[in-house]
């Protein structure tokens, strides 16, 4: 329903422009400027919704996001009844499709638009018949159609229709010629088309009436200049007040409803030159509406970003020369064969405590410590703050598989705000499941302090949904309260407990949940095992409605109608394939080597490209070494041609991300030598180069998604450890090909 959302937004803007016209410009005699303003309003109102200013909504660094409230006695929670979560092997219920309110609105809109289109067709057909069946005289640049037994007078484009009984026909023709010269009929047709598309908006009808009124003011002003004075022309208008009008899509000379306004404005004192400045009101209106388009409306059709939040590469090699994010200096301390990494070292010397840090310790200090205390100290780089490209802290892997609804509830209802210097901690909560799989007897079995204990326990007690595990048993879940200190994570010790059921993380900022294009939170599972032509066969997703209830969808059980519903209603599409990357945070640290995070590198390709082609490209696209060192990525768009046998040819770069990226993508595509079962002709594909360390996945512009576009293929600078290997490509001795039907 994006079209309806777009129309609603555009019509709101149109209404604002028209209200501004009525308030500030309606009484001015600068009629040409009024005409320009009204036409501009009609056009810009439908352009603004697709424009964005990304810089207005930059990602706020997470360390500053600590405004969530904390209450040790009763944290604010919502009690929501959730649907039971099916186990993995349980068949998914059939999703019933019902006629919804949105469906009704869509059909009502189409009926209204079709009716107005039919009425416009009838009006145009009637005018066409008049031009064929009546007396006419061809003049220089217009044609006069004389109508018998009537005093009607109106014009439409280069035609003047006038009754033989009309008084002072020369004056009337002179008036109508102004409409013809100024192309006023084009304005009216534009408004008629807008009425068809926006028939539900009363402002469109009011705006059309105002525009036709301005047209009459312009024609009256110029016609009166040929008369003795404005009063004489006004008298003529008054005498002709009861003439017959023409079609609503024409400019009728005899319009009784406008008579008083036309005479008043004809004799009104002309507006001064300073009054022209009032038309500059369009600038603040456009600016305000552009900000509203960015900040107020949540949408997927904001295609053009006038000022992106992040700066893109200025040239082919800029990103490769970028300096990686600076890592914090720490002290590596070795004593009695035990090595630790610390921020500071305190040593008692001559009854005085001396504190060393990475910034203050000198070579002399290190030599004396080794000589006098047998302590070896080195200054090392240790990135204890792992962040995404936009500055969000990256959370390590935790395991609550099967507890998605509980996990989602706790993340949204436990509000943790850390005090200055607080590093968080671990609370272990024990509980039992009753016969309905609901939590009972929740208690703290391992304390993290009164504050954290209260937050965790109140959250578990507030959850009234089901837990996807065996009833009648006891379980324990570790709750990590995280600020920015990764030393709190001690997952291995928890997993030795037989009752251990997993852990979750409650950060002191808004939990970085995955959201669809329409703002719904979701969790995916079983996404991506590269090297397997059934990469997504076990994929499933749970989508949370706005009230917090979650519903599971299994890709293999979804019908085309189900997939369409997921996209239209929730803004979610299953990836065509994915590669799961495990990024270890401290690969060389014995104590912390278990800490890692997952980066799902998802691709969205049309069916003919989703399996063997995807696996081949994934295994044969070499990520540039320079880019790896610089943590750089980008999007390369490739054009290619498929011949009648489905073979790739004429591959070239349509959008560059830099020479090294272009060559890597182009070489892999050109080396693919198997037939692709897709339509012959021109195609394009976006190859995304992603960075695992900062979870960077570049965004593909909607502008490139034209006819022949087959989707986006994501390549990461790190390899997945979950490669199946069943779909490895072996170059054939002879390329099979079959003519396409």
């Amino acid at each position: 329903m994006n079209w309806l959302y777009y129309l609603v937004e555009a019509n709101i803007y149109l209404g604002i422009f028209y209200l501004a016209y009525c308030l500030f410009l309606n009484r001015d005699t600068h009629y040409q400027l009024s005409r320009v303003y009204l036409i501009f309003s009609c056009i810009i109102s439908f352009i603004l919704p697709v424009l964005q200013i990304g810089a207005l909504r930059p990602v706020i660094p997470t360390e500053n996001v600590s405004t969530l409230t904390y209450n040790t006695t009763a944290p604010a929670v919502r009690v929501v009844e959730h649907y039971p979560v099916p186990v993995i092997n349980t068949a998914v219920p059939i999703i019933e499709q019902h006629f919804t309110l949105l469906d009704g609105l869509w059909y009502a809109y189409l009926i209204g638009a079709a009716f107005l289109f039919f009425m416009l067709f009838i009006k145009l057909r009637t005018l066409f018949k008049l031009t064929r069946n009546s007396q006419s005289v061809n003049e220089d640049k217009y044609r006069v159609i004389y109508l018998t037994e009537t005093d009607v007078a109106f014009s439409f484009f280069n035609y003047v229709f006038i009754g033989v009984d009309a008084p002072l026909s020369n004056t009337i023709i002179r008036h109508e010629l102004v409409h013809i010269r100024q192309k006023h009929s084009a304005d009216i047709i534009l408004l008629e088309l807008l009425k068809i598309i926006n028939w539900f908006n009363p402002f469109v009808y009011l705006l059309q009436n105002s525009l036709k009124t301005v047209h009459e003011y312009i024609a009256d002003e110029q016609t009166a200049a040929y008369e003795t004075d404005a009063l004489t022309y006004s008298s003529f208008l008054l005498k002709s007040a009861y003439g017959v009008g023409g079609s609503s899509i024409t400019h009728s000379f005899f319009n009784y409803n406008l008579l008083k306004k036309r005479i008043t404005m004809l004799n009104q004192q002309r507006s001064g030159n300073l009054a022209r400045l009032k038309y500059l009101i369009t600038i603040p209106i456009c600016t305000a509406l552009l900000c509203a388009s960015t900040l107020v409306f949540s949408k997927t059709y904001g295609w053009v970003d006038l000022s992106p939040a992040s700066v893109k590469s200025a040239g082919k090699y800029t990103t490769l020369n970028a300096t990686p994010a600076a890592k914090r200096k720490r002290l590596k301390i070795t004593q009695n064969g035990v090595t630790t990494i610390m921020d500071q070292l305190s040593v008692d010397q001559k009854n005085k405590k001396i504190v060393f840090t990475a910034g203050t310790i000198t070579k002399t200090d290190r030599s004396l410590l080794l000589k006098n205390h047998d302590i070896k100290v080195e200054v090392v780089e240790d990135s204890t703050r792992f962040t995404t490209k936009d500055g969000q802290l990256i959370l390590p892997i935790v395991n609550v598989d099967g507890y998605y609804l509980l996990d989602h509830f706790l993340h949204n209802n436990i509000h943790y705000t850390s005090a200055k210097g607080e590093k968080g901690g671990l609370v272990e909560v024990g509980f039992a499941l009753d016969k309905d799989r609901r939590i009972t007897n929740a208690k703290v079995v391992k304390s993290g302090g009164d504050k954290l204990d209260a937050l965790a326990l109140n959250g578990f007690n507030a959850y009234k949904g089901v837990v996807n595990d065996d009833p009648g048993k006891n379980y324990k879940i570790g709750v990590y309260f995280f600020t920015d200190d990764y030393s709190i994570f001690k997952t291995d010790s928890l997993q030795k407990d037989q009752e251990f059921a997993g852990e979750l993380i409650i950060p002191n900022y808004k939990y970085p949940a995955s959201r669809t294009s329409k703002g719904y939170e979701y969790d995916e599972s079983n996404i991506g095992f590269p090297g397997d032509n059934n990469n997504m066969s076990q994929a499933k997703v749970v989508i949370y409605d706005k009230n917090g209830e979650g519903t599971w969808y299994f890709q293999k059980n979804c019908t085309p109608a189900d997939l369409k519903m997921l996209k239209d209603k929730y803004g979610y599409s299953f990836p065509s394939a994915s590669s799961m990357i495990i990024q270890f945070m401290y690969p060389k640290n014995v104590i912390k080597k278990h800490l890692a995070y997952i980066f799902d590198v998802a691709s969205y390709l049309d069916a003919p490209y989703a399996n063997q082609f995807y696996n081949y490209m994934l295994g044969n696209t070499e990520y540039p070494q320079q880019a790896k060192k610089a943590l750089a990525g980008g999007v390369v768009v490739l054009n290619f041609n498929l011949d009648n046998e489905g073979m790739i040819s004429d591959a070239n770069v349509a959008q560059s991300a830099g020479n090294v990226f272009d060559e890597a993508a182009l070489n892999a595509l050109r080396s693919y030598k198997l037939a692709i079962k897709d339509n012959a002709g021109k195609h394009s594909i976006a190859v995304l180069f992603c960075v695992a360390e900062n979870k960077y996945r570049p965004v593909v512009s909607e502008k490139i998604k034209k006819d022949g576009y087959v989707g986006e293929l994501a390549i990461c600078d790190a390899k997945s450890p979950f490669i199946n290997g069943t779909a490895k490509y072996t170059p054939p001795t002879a390329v099979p090909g079959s003519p396409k039907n």
Side-chain angles (χ1 to χ4, degrees):
M1 294 296 176
N2 276 344
W3 173 245
L4 291 183
Y5 300 143
Y6 165 77
L7 282 182
V8 169
E9 183 179 352
N11 279 276
I12 290 173
Y13 296 165
L14 187 64
I16 293 172
F17 274 109
Y18 183 70
L19 289 174
Y21 172 79
C22 294
L23 289 173
F24 302 108
L25 308 174
N26 192 32
R27 303 295 299 174
D28 276 9
T29 61
H30 296 300
Y31 304 130
Q32 296 288 7
L33 287 177
S34 294
R35 177 193 178 193
V36 170
Y37 175 89
L38 292 173
I39 295 297
F40 176 78
S41 300
C42 295
I43 297 172
I44 197 65
S45 295
F46 291 85
I47 295 177
L48 286 172
V50 303
L51 302 181
Q52 302 277 279
I53 303 179
L56 291 180
R57 49 180 184 189
V59 178
I60 302 174
T62 52
E63 56 267 29
N64 295 330
V65 183
S66 57
T67 58
L68 300 178
T69 58
Y70 153 69
N71 187 329
T72 58
T73 56
V77 295
R78 287 185 291 116
V79 178
V80 181
E81 193 72 28
H82 295 276
Y83 296 128
V85 184
V87 296
I88 294 177
N89 295 322
T90 301
V92 179
I94 297 174
I95 304 170
E96 297 182 4
Q97 297 295 312
H98 299 286
F99 186 83
T100 65
L101 176 61
L102 279 178
D103 294 330
L105 290 174
W106 177 245
Y107 289 122
Y109 168 76
L110 291 178
I111 291 171
F115 176 75
L116 262 71
F117 180 82
F118 177 74
M119 294 301 298
L120 177 60
F121 174 78
I122 294 297
K123 293 173 185 177
L124 291 173
R125 186 172 180 272
T126 301
L127 288 175
F128 179 76
K129 289 174 66 177
L130 286 177
T131 64
R132 296 296 181 185
N133 300 330
S134 304
Q135 275 188 321
S136 63
V137 176
N138 289 323
E139 298 295 343
D140 184 21
K141 293 184 179 179
Y142 65 95
R143 185 179 178 189
V144 181
I145 308 294
Y146 290 99
L147 307 177
T148 57
E149 299 180 358
T150 181
D151 60 354
V152 69
F154 58 89
S155 63
F156 184 69
F157 283 101
N158 291 344
Y159 292 92
V160 176
F161 301 85
I162 188 166
V164 294
D165 299 331
L168 292 177
S169 60
N170 288 337
T171 301
I172 295 173
I173 291 175
R174 188 177 295 116
H175 175 97
E176 298 303 324
L177 285 179
V178 177
H179 291 310
I180 291 174
R181 285 194 299 269
Q182 303 236 348
K183 311 294 183 186
H184 289 170
S185 292
D187 298 355
I188 299 304
I189 291 298
L190 173 63
L191 265 296
E192 287 291 327
L193 294 175
L194 283 182
K195 277 168 56 178
I196 292 172
I197 299 173
N198 310 283
W199 58 266
F200 53 86
N201 184 2
F203 285 111
V204 176
Y205 301 87
L206 295 173
L207 192 148
Q208 185 182 45
N209 290 336
S210 295
L211 184 59
K212 291 179 75 171
T213 301
V214 169
H215 289 166
E216 295 304 324
Y217 292 162
I218 293 172
D220 287 341
E221 185 178 52
Q222 296 192 20
T223 304
Y226 286 93
E227 303 297 326
T228 305
D229 51 37
L231 185 60
T232 303
Y233 183 67
S234 299
S235 300
F236 170 67
L237 290 177
L238 192 59
K239 291 176 183 179
S240 306
Y242 296 99
V244 180
S247 170
S248 62
I249 63 171
T250 65
H251 289 91
S252 178
F253 184 83
F254 304 115
N255 190 329
Y256 181 76
N257 294 328
L258 287 179
L259 179 62
K260 183 178 179 181
K261 286 184 178 180
R262 289 170 65 183
I263 293 175
T264 300
M265 296 301 288
L266 191 62
N267 293 279
Q268 181 171 305
Q269 183 178 357
R270 304 294 92 178
S271 302
N273 288 331
L274 286 178
R276 298 174 186 269
L277 297 177
K278 290 198 294 184
Y279 290 87
L280 295 177
I281 195 175
T282 54
I283 296 175
I285 292 177
C286 286
T287 303
L289 295 184
L290 189 54
C291 294
S293 174
T294 303
L295 301 175
V296 177
F297 293 93
S298 177
K299 56 195 174 185
T300 59
Y301 49 82
W303 299 319
V304 181
D305 195 339
L306 300 179
S307 179
S310 58
V311 180
K312 296 182 179 179
S313 172
K316 291 185 176 180
Y317 299 100
T318 306
T319 56
L320 300 184
N321 295 327
T323 303
K327 296 183 179 181
R328 188 166 66 173
K329 302 287 187 180
R330 303 189 75 191
L331 297 178
K332 181 179 179 181
I333 303 166
T334 304
Q335 186 178 26
N336 299 327
V338 178
T339 299
T340 57
I341 296 179
M342 306 290 289
D343 290 319
Q344 62 184 31
L345 171 64
S346 297
V347 178
D348 292 325
Q349 291 184 351
K350 298 179 181 179
N351 298 323
K352 182 180 179 182
K353 180 177 287 187
I354 300 176
V355 178
F356 300 101
T357 66
T360 61
I361 195 168
T362 65
K363 288 184 178 180
T364 303
D365 294 332
R366 284 185 282 168
S367 298
L368 290 174
L369 287 169
L370 182 60
K371 179 180 178 180
N372 299 332
H373 302 277
D374 197 25
I375 300 175
K376 181 181 179 182
V377 180
E378 302 172 80
V379 177
V380 296
E381 291 182 343
D382 190 345
S383 178
T384 58
R385 294 179 57 82
F386 299 89
T387 60
T388 63
K389 196 173 181 70
D390 55 14
Q392 283 190 331
L393 279 171
I394 295 175
L395 301 179
I397 301 171
V398 294
N399 178 25
V400 286
D401 194 26
Y403 286 31
Y404 288 99
L405 297 182
L406 172 63
D407 185 78
H408 178 264
F409 177 87
L410 296 177
H411 282 143
N412 283 276
N413 293 281
I414 296 180
H415 305 288
Y416 169 50
T417 302
S418 59
K420 185 176 181 181
E422 183 180 343
K423 73 172 186 176
L426 168 65
V427 177
E428 195 173 337
V429 178
F431 59 91
L433 293 182
D434 63 18
K435 63 179 181 178
D436 296 320
R437 296 189 296 169
R438 299 183 187 276
I439 291 176
T440 61
N441 302 323
K443 58 185 178 181
V444 174
V445 296
K446 183 175 182 179
S447 175
D450 292 344
K451 172 183 174 180
L452 303 185
D453 293 351
L455 286 171
L457 192 57
N458 288 340
F460 274 81
N461 285 329
Y463 180 66
K464 304 304 179 184
V466 299
V467 176
N468 186 34
D469 220 325
D470 296 330
K473 293 185 178 181
N474 295 322
Y475 300 94
K476 295 176 183 176
I477 289 181
V479 182
Y480 290 106
F481 289 89
F482 176 68
T483 55
D484 61 358
D485 190 336
Y486 292 93
S487 67
I488 67 170
F489 295 105
K490 304 183 184 302
T491 306
D492 288 351
S493 62
L494 285 176
Q495 290 177 345
K496 296 176 183 178
D497 193 326
Q498 293 297 318
E499 295 180 350
F500 171 70
E503 64 274 347
L504 58 94
I505 302 173
I506 304 295
N508 65 342
Y509 53 90
K510 181 66 176 176
Y511 187 79
S514 299
R515 292 185 180 274
T516 70
S517 61
K518 293 188 177 180
Y520 291 88
E521 290 187 30
Y522 70 92
D523 284 309
E524 292 173 323
S525 183
N526 295 342
I527 301 292
F529 296 93
D532 185 351
N533 281 344
N534 295 312
N535 187 287
M536 301 292 294
S537 61
Q538 299 299 320
K540 60 179 181 176
V541 64
V542 56
I543 296 181
Y544 305 98
D545 284 318
K546 300 300 184 182
N547 60 3
E549 295 181 348
T551 304
W552 280 99
Y553 300 92
F554 289 64
Q555 186 184 41
K556 66 180 180 181
N557 291 358
C558 285
T559 65
D562 299 336
L563 297 176
K564 183 177 186 302
M565 180 275 295
L566 286 173
K567 184 175 182 180
D568 293 344
K569 181 178 179 180
Y570 296 111
Y572 175 83
S573 296
F574 280 102
S576 61
S578 186
S579 178
M580 186 187 296
I581 308 298
I582 303 295
Q583 187 74 13
F584 288 95
M585 294 179 165
Y586 301 94
K588 297 181 180 180
N589 187 307
V590 176
I591 299 175
K592 300 180 182 179
K593 67 178 182 179
H594 63 279
L595 289 181
Y597 53 88
I598 290 178
F599 180 34
D600 284 319
V601 186
S603 295
Y604 298 85
L605 296 167
D606 291 349
Y609 304 84
N611 290 318
Q612 190 167 42
F613 173 83
Y614 164 78
N615 286 307
Y616 177 85
M617 292 291 290
L618 197 66
N620 291 273
T621 305
E622 294 293 334
Y623 207 102
Q625 291 300 317
Q626 293 171 282
K628 280 187 178 182
K629 294 177 182 178
L631 301 182
V635 178
V636 178
V637 179
L638 301 178
N639 289 338
F640 63 94
N641 188 65
L642 282 186
D643 62 22
N644 290 331
E645 295 183 347
M647 305 303 295
I648 292 175
S649 63
D650 302 327
N652 60 83
V653 176
Q655 176 182 304
S656 173
N659 278 355
V660 291
F661 289 122
D662 298 348
E663 291 174 7
L666 203 54
N667 290 340
L669 183 64
R670 286 173 173 169
S671 67
Y672 188 71
K673 300 301 181 183
L674 286 183
I676 297 174
K677 294 180 180 180
D678 198 5
N679 296 327
K682 295 181 178 179
H683 298 273
S684 64
I685 185 172
V687 181
L688 284 62
F689 288 88
C690 309
V691 182
E693 184 167 329
N694 54 26
K695 301 184 79 168
Y696 171 60
R697 186 183 190 279
V699 178
V700 179
S701 170
E702 292 292 327
K703 293 187 293 184
I704 72 167
K705 299 178 181 179
K706 302 176 181 177
D707 290 342
Y709 178 71
V710 303
E712 51 193 67
L713 170 69
I715 306 294
C716 189
D717 61 346
K719 296 296 183 181
S720 172
F722 301 107
I723 296 177
N724 186 304
T726 61
K728 285 188 176 180
Y729 169 77
T730 303
T733 55
V735 178
S738 57
K740 299 182 78 83
N741 295 326

